[in-house]
């Protein structure tokens, strides 16, 4: 009997529309890339996680085809029954080498990897200490465990606490949480390597120091970092020169590393071994498809042969950020290809960001506005994401459109 629920959902959906919170999906009629077709129109794409431009790279597409020819379309099994092929093991080995980890376990997504990690390893006697802006999949993963939890104020390493007057909540620094958790059996500090809304980077060196001081493990979600952060693209741990001090990395193959799907946890030998025996999304969900395995192996081969792609990405990012600053846009400073163009100095920031993004699309540039509740109130923005696949000409077109519409809407003078 669906009647009651139908009425309820219809009214909730109407309310989403009324609050401008309804999620509309634009339909792409081409492959993913710097230039895509949306509603029959060619536009330049500046909002994909296609950091290295590998989503439709001919070598990856070919590797996926070849792997289908060699190992078929699917395994129809979980790993421990009859779903492990030689190439699954090879990919795990290659991921471990890439990150400098003992071992790796594959999942069908990073969401699964994060969902799998906490419950088998941390119980009532243990402490999970997590950054307040960590990804939804980490939040859900932690919820599945019985461990005690501390949420530290985003990026705050301090040993102090303060009162947030607007919410009435107590904000604690990481060291403060570690002090409170000191009697727990196991402690783990959990952070995104790069945070997706601001493109800011976790202070992994300081986190590792605190982990040493308080005998805690370090878990880093590298979804927005793997493949290009650090001088050879290994990630945030390479960027901070702490590759041997991080215990577990989770990442996705759905962003820089090819863009299809899949993910993994890489880390200490016994942790990975335990997860192979206990992690529920690993034990009770299908094995990663051979095509994804083949293409991800090719991706790692490309990235270990040369740093050209990550160097191009970083150059493109620097170029875009500098030009936008010169034009007078309010850009959150940083080095990450996530470049937030802020509207916080305007009263009508949320409507303005949406209007701006709509005008950009009319001018052939696909960017997206983010507003509350995805970002804090007044912190409305257009989040531009730069790719190694963008040509200078395409980036210049994007900048010109920002300049023209910025003047038209009185965002810059
Ligand atoms: C994208 C993302 C995920 C989820 O990755 P999937 O492989 O798409 O499930 C998890 N954590 C972070 C920080 C992400 O940005």
């Amino acid at each position: 009997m669906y009647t009651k629920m139908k009425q309820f959902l219809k009214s909730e959906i109407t309310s989403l529309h009324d609050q401008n919170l309804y999620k509309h999906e634009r339909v792409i009629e081409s492959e993913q890339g710097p230039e895509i077709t949306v509603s029959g129109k060619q536009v330049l794409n500046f909002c994909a996680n296609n950091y290295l431009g590998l989503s439709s790279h001919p070598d990856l597409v070919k590797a996926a085809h070849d792997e289908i020819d060699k190992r078929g379309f699917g395994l129809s099994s979980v790993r421990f029954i009859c779903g492990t092929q030689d190439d699954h093991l090879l990919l795990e080995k290659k991921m471990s080498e890439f990150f400098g980890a003992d071992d790796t376990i594959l999942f069908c997504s990073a969401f699964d990897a994060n969902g799998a990690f906490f419950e088998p390893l941390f119980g009532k006697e243990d402490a999970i200490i997590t950054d307040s802006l960590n990804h939804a999949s980490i939040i859900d993963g932690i919820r599945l465990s019985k461990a005690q939890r501390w949420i530290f104020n985003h990026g705050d390493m301090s040993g102090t606490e303060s009162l947030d007057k607007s919410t009435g909540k107590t904000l604690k620094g990481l060291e403060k949480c570690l002090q409170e958790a000191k009697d727990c059996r196991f402690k783990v500090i959990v952070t995104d390597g790069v945070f997706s809304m601001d493109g800011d980077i976790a202070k992994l060196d300081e986190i590792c120091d605190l982990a040493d001081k308080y005998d805690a493990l370090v878990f880093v979600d590298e979804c927005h970092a793997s493949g290009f952060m650090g001088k050879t693209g290994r990630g945030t741990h390479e960027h901070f020169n702490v590759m041997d001090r991080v215990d577990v990395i989770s990442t996705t193959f759905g962003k820089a590393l090819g863009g299809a799907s899949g993910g993994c946890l890489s880390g200490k030998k016994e942790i990975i071994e335990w997860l192979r025996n206990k992690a529920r999304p690993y034990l009770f969900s299908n094995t990663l498809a051979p095509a994804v395995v083949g293409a991800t192996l090719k991706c790692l081969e490309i990235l270990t042969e040369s740093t050209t792609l990550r160097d191009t990405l970083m150059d493109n990012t620097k170029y875009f950020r500098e030009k936008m600053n010169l034009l007078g846009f309010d850009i959150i400073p940083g080095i990450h290809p996530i470049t937030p163009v802020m509207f916080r100095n305007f009263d009508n920031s949320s409507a303005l960001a949406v209007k701006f993004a709509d005008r950009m699309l009319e001018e052939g540039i696909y960017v997206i506005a983010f507003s509350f509740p995805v970002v804090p109130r007044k912190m409305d923005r257009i989040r531009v994401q730069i790719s190694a696949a963008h040509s200078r000409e395409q980036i210049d077109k994007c900048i010109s459109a920002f300049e023209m519409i910025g003047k038209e809407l009185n965002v810059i003078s």
Side-chain angles (χ1 to χ4, degrees):
M1 288 303 292
Y2 179 49
T3 321
K4 253 200 294 189
M5 179 176 263
K6 182 182 167 95
Q7 273 174 358
F8 173 77
L9 290 179
K10 281 184 95 158
S11 101
E12 290 293 301
I13 289 166
T14 306
S15 141
L16 284 182
H17 282 291
D18 292 346
Q19 300 171 71
N20 277 323
L21 294 177
Y22 192 87
K23 294 194 169 45
H24 298 275
E25 298 178 3
R26 286 207 172 94
V27 179
I28 300 175
E29 299 133 359
S30 62
E31 59 181 32
Q32 185 63 280
E35 192 161 4
I36 55 175
T37 314
V38 178
S39 309
K41 193 179 153 189
Q42 296 280 105
V43 297
L44 297 180
N45 188 2
F46 280 86
C47 58
N49 297 314
N50 186 18
Y51 295 114
L52 297 174
L54 294 174
S55 308
S56 307
H57 191 287
D59 293 355
L60 266 73
V61 173
K62 177 165 188 311
H65 277 292
D66 290 351
E67 193 73 17
I68 290 184
D69 291 342
K70 264 174 29 197
R71 295 286 181 274
F73 174 62
L75 268 299
S76 311
S77 171
V78 299
R79 287 286 295 274
F80 80 95
I81 297 180
C82 54
T84 301
Q85 288 175 326
D86 48 357
D87 286 351
H88 289 97
L89 298 180
L90 182 61
L91 178 56
E92 288 175 338
K93 181 166 168 281
K94 294 287 176 188
M95 287 308 306
S96 305
E97 286 169 15
F98 190 71
F99 288 138
D102 297 345
D103 200 0
T104 292
I105 176 173
L106 299 178
F107 291 89
C108 286
S109 69
F111 206 107
D112 272 354
N114 289 339
F117 178 70
F118 300 97
E119 184 264 338
L121 289 162
F122 301 96
K124 286 199 291 287
E125 324 75 322
D126 305 318
I128 300 173
I129 304 163
T130 177
D131 187 287
S132 60
L133 291 190
N134 279 341
H135 190 261
S137 54
I138 291 180
I139 297 171
D140 286 8
I142 294 173
R143 276 187 189 138
L144 293 171
S145 103
K146 297 203 164 56
Q148 301 170 55
R149 66 202 71 172
W150 278 263
I151 299 171
F152 65 95
N153 188 25
H154 173 55
D156 177 357
M157 301 291 113
S158 74
T160 58
E161 64 179 44
S162 60
L163 187 71
D164 181 352
K165 293 203 182 71
S166 63
T167 61
K169 278 191 192 151
T170 308
L171 304 177
K172 291 178 183 174
L174 172 58
E175 183 157 18
K176 174 76 180 166
C177 298
L178 285 161
Q179 284 161 358
E180 292 183 3
K182 71 178 185 328
D183 294 330
C184 291
R185 181 183 57 167
F186 306 136
K187 285 149 277 204
V188 60
I189 304 169
V190 183
T191 185
D192 284 9
V194 172
F195 293 84
S196 64
M197 281 303 135
D198 287 357
D200 60 322
I201 307 168
K203 299 167 192 136
L204 216 46
D205 47 351
E206 294 179 46
I207 289 175
C208 288
D209 289 346
L210 285 171
D212 287 349
K213 184 169 170 190
Y214 291 92
D215 186 22
L217 298 159
V218 177
F219 173 103
V220 190
D221 179 336
E222 287 281 272
C223 286
H224 283 286
S226 295
F228 58 95
M229 290 298 291
K231 69 179 188 311
T232 66
R234 308 305 157 111
T236 313
H237 64 333
E238 184 185 31
H239 176 79
F240 282 106
N241 204 9
V242 292
M243 280 188 76
D244 51 348
R245 298 175 70 195
V246 165
D247 299 288
V248 182
I249 285 172
S250 82
T251 200
T252 181
F253 309 144
K255 290 182 174 123
L257 304 180
S261 63
C264 68
L265 296 170
S266 296
K268 300 291 184 225
K269 176 174 177 291
E270 298 76 13
I271 292 179
I272 302 302
E273 196 175 351
W274 186 247
L275 291 171
R276 268 190 220 288
N277 285 277
K278 294 288 175 186
R280 295 166 70 82
Y282 184 81
L283 294 173
F284 302 111
S285 185
N286 209 33
T287 196
L288 198 61
V292 174
V293 174
T296 310
L297 279 166
K298 175 53 78 175
C299 166
L300 291 180
E301 195 185 307
I302 294 173
L303 299 190
T304 40
E305 259 167 23
S306 129
T307 59
T308 308
L309 286 177
R310 68 79 57 198
D311 296 344
T312 306
L313 171 63
M314 289 312 192
D315 286 349
N316 281 351
T317 299
K318 193 158 172 276
Y319 178 80
F320 180 77
R321 282 175 168 274
E322 278 173 12
K323 292 265 167 163
M324 290 290 284
N325 277 323
L326 280 176
L327 285 173
F329 282 103
D330 176 9
I331 308 287
I332 297 184
I335 58 158
H336 197 273
I338 291 174
T339 310
V341 182
M342 305 301 291
F343 296 85
R344 56 192 157 185
N345 296 327
F346 300 90
D347 289 339
N348 56 341
S349 55
S350 138
L352 187 60
V354 172
K355 176 94 204 288
F356 205 114
D358 287 347
R359 282 288 293 118
M360 289 290 282
L361 190 62
E362 285 168 19
E363 296 300 324
I365 310 290
Y366 188 4
V367 287
I368 293 284
F370 289 86
S371 292
F372 183 80
V374 181
V375 294
R377 278 188 209 283
K378 291 296 295 167
M379 293 295 273
D380 308 273
R381 70 198 57 198
I382 287 176
R383 185 182 70 171
V384 176
Q385 286 174 286
I386 300 295
S387 168
H390 289 132
S391 66
R392 273 301 148 93
E393 193 193 344
Q394 290 170 330
I395 297 175
D396 283 334
K397 271 191 189 157
C398 176
I399 295 167
S400 301
F402 263 109
E403 180 175 15
M404 184 182 90
I405 296 161
K407 286 177 177 161
E408 179 185 307
L409 299 179
N410 293 316
V411 173
I412 55 169
S413 50

